Amino acid sequence: MTGAPTVVEPATSTAVREPGRLRSALGWLALAVAVIVFALLIAALSFSAPDSRGGLDPESAKGSGTLALAEILRDQGVEITVSRTRADAIAAVDGDTTLVMSDPYTLSDEAVRALIEPSNRTVFLSSSSRLLRLLDLGKNTSPPASGALPAGCDVPELVDVGSVQPDRFFSPADGVTGCFDEDGAAGLLISDRDGTRTALLEGAWLLGNEHLAENGNAALGLALLGQTERVVWYVPSFADTDIEAQSSDTLATLTPEWVTPAILLLLLAGIVAGIARGQRFGPLVTETLPVTVRASETMHGRARLTAKAGDSSHAAAALREGSLRRLAARLGLTARSTPEEVADAASDRLRIPRGSLYQLLAGPLPQNDSELVDSARRLAELETAVDTAVHVERNTP
């Protein structure tokens, strides 16, 4: 007895499920790696973000900053107060402080005077032509040929500074002491007037963190800024400026307020009118032009254009060309015959001198209306004479 066929169910293979699990695991692993790389990139950008502080800033560690000089002053017991507004700097200055700043380019002349007025000792760490003029310290001048220079002036605190190599030189004004000078060019200006001392130099290279350890640069910074127990270091910025920008007058500011709305209204009306008018235009229509134009119409049209332009020479050339073509046909010549050949044939046929015919058929063209009329009359007479001579010859037995 034959039994019923046995149905065997396929066994589920773990080899089928393994590739799917592997792909899923690899996907999550790739996502985790991407997140880690992104986090490391953000951290690297954050740690390597550039210092936003400018040059000669006592809190900047960049090469152009002066953080190293500020730390040296603090090591010598000097208290440094960093002020980033004029009001804070003026409030912090007293009789036993040194006011230090770079060129306050963001302040007006009046603001600079008000800032340095309470101070008995002011040091400018960078220079400008405006500061030299405003403080009456001197003028810019060309540098000498030598490199590092000694102080060479009667200022006690600069005796032990040593040699430095200034970046910019000045010509001192009357009553102003020039130090580190040669041939009248000084790298440091010191003015003692009315019981106040003002010193100015270009210290971006001398006193910056990058070059402070060279020559006597550090000693120079201590000599200028370390003579009092307190230093008020003002840092100029555009956020503390008192100079208001003035915009130039424009067409909008010079015209009444109603002009702009009126212009816009006119533009809108023009657009609406164009759309309304354009909707009335239909499709292009092909019109049948005349295919036959009578020669007389063309001749009269060209004649009117020539007369309107006053071109006597062009009209005479057209008359002469027509006469030559007709004379050549009547005299049995080809259409390519030259005016000289036509003149010779007409002279032989009429038995008249060739010179006058040459002048008429090949000579200069008329330049005015009277000469044009005379030339047209002579051409007509020549054609008539040739017609008569040819007709007589044909009728003569």
Side-chain angles (χ1 to χ4, degrees):
M1 177 176 179
T2 303
T6 304
V7 179
V8 180
E9 295 182 0
T12 303
S13 175
T14 57
V16 178
R17 295 195 299 267
E18 286 299 328
R21 293 178 179 178
L22 182 60
R23 284 195 298 269
S24 178
L26 290 177
W28 283 105
L29 180 60
L31 181 60
V33 171
V35 171
I36 294 174
V37 171
F38 182 78
L40 292 176
L41 180 61
I42 295 298
L45 293 176
S46 301
F47 284 116
S48 62
D51 190 353
S52 61
R53 304 192 185 280
L56 295 175
D57 193 307
E59 296 178 342
S60 174
K62 295 191 300 184
S64 59
T66 52
L67 178 60
L69 178 59
E71 293 299 327
I72 292 175
L73 290 172
R74 290 189 178 98
D75 292 341
Q76 298 298 319
V78 178
E79 179 185 352
I80 298 179
T81 302
V82 179
S83 301
R84 299 190 180 273
T85 63
R86 289 172 293 145
D88 293 343
I90 294 174
V93 171
D94 55 27
D96 192 25
T97 59
T98 299
L99 178 62
V100 182
M101 72 186 80
S102 58
D103 174 28
Y105 58 92
T106 60
L107 302 181
S108 63
D109 293 352
E110 294 76 12
V112 173
R113 293 191 184 96
L115 177 61
I116 66 177
E117 183 179 2
S119 175
N120 295 329
R121 190 181 185 93
T122 305
V123 179
F124 290 95
L125 300 182
S126 62
S127 63
S128 66
S129 299
R130 185 189 70 144
L131 275 181
L132 294 173
R133 172 189 55 80
L134 182 63
L135 304 177
D136 192 20
L137 296 177
K139 298 180 180 179
N140 293 302
T141 188
S142 57
S146 59
L149 298 172
C153 58
D154 298 331
V155 179
E157 53 264 34
L158 297 178
V159 174
D160 299 327
V161 167
S163 299
V164 299
Q165 186 173 353
D167 189 34
R168 183 175 296 180
F169 288 83
F170 315 96
S171 177
D174 295 337
V176 177
T177 302
C179 301
F180 305 100
D181 69 323
E182 182 177 354
D183 299 331
L188 170 65
L189 300 178
I190 298 178
S191 172
D192 292 310
R193 298 170 181 169
D194 302 329
T196 62
R197 167 167 290 190
T198 303
L200 181 143
L201 79 161
E202 184 59 47
W205 188 87
L206 290 174
L207 304 180
N209 297 326
E210 185 176 359
H211 302 284
L212 187 64
E214 299 177 3
N215 299 325
N217 297 349
L220 176 61
L222 286 174
L224 293 177
L225 279 63
Q227 302 303 314
T228 57
E229 296 181 356
R230 293 182 63 247
V231 168
V232 176
W233 203 313
Y234 171 66
V235 182
S237 64
F238 286 107
D240 190 45
T241 183
D242 67 321
I243 302 175
E244 296 182 359
Q246 297 180 355
S247 59
S248 57
D249 292 334
T250 61
L251 183 61
T253 59
L254 296 176
T255 54
E257 297 180 355
W258 55 268
V259 172
T260 300
I263 294 176
L264 295 177
L265 183 60
L266 289 176
L267 290 175
L268 181 60
I271 294 174
V272 173
I275 295 175
R277 184 66 179 173
Q279 291 178 349
R280 299 182 181 182
F281 295 154
L284 296 177
V285 177
T286 303
E287 297 182 0
T288 303
L289 298 177
V291 295
T292 302
V293 179
R294 291 184 295 177
S296 60
E297 294 182 2
T298 304
M299 179 186 65
H300 288 297
R302 294 181 62 183
R304 283 192 294 269
L305 290 175
T306 304
K308 185 176 181 180
D311 192 355
S312 302
S313 299
H314 185 75
L319 293 175
R320 179 181 291 180
E321 181 182 358
S323 297
L324 287 172
R325 187 173 59 255
R326 290 188 292 271
L327 288 172
R330 292 166 185 169
L331 294 172
L333 302 176
T334 63
R336 296 183 179 180
S337 300
T338 63
E340 289 79 5
E341 294 174 347
V342 175
D344 290 340
S347 174
D348 293 340
R349 186 64 56 87
L350 299 177
R351 295 181 177 82
I352 60 177
R354 292 177 174 81
S356 59
L357 295 183
Y358 285 159
Q359 186 70 18
L360 178 62
L361 298 177
L365 294 171
Q367 301 299 320
N368 51 53
D369 291 344
S370 61
E371 295 179 359
L372 174 63
V373 172
D374 182 64
S375 177
R377 179 182 57 79
R378 293 175 59 190
L379 287 173
E381 292 177 353
L382 176 61
E383 291 187 38
T384 302
V386 170
D387 282 342
T388 302
V390 172
H391 181 71
V392 170
E393 290 181 358
R394 289 178 179 175
N395 295 329
T396 301

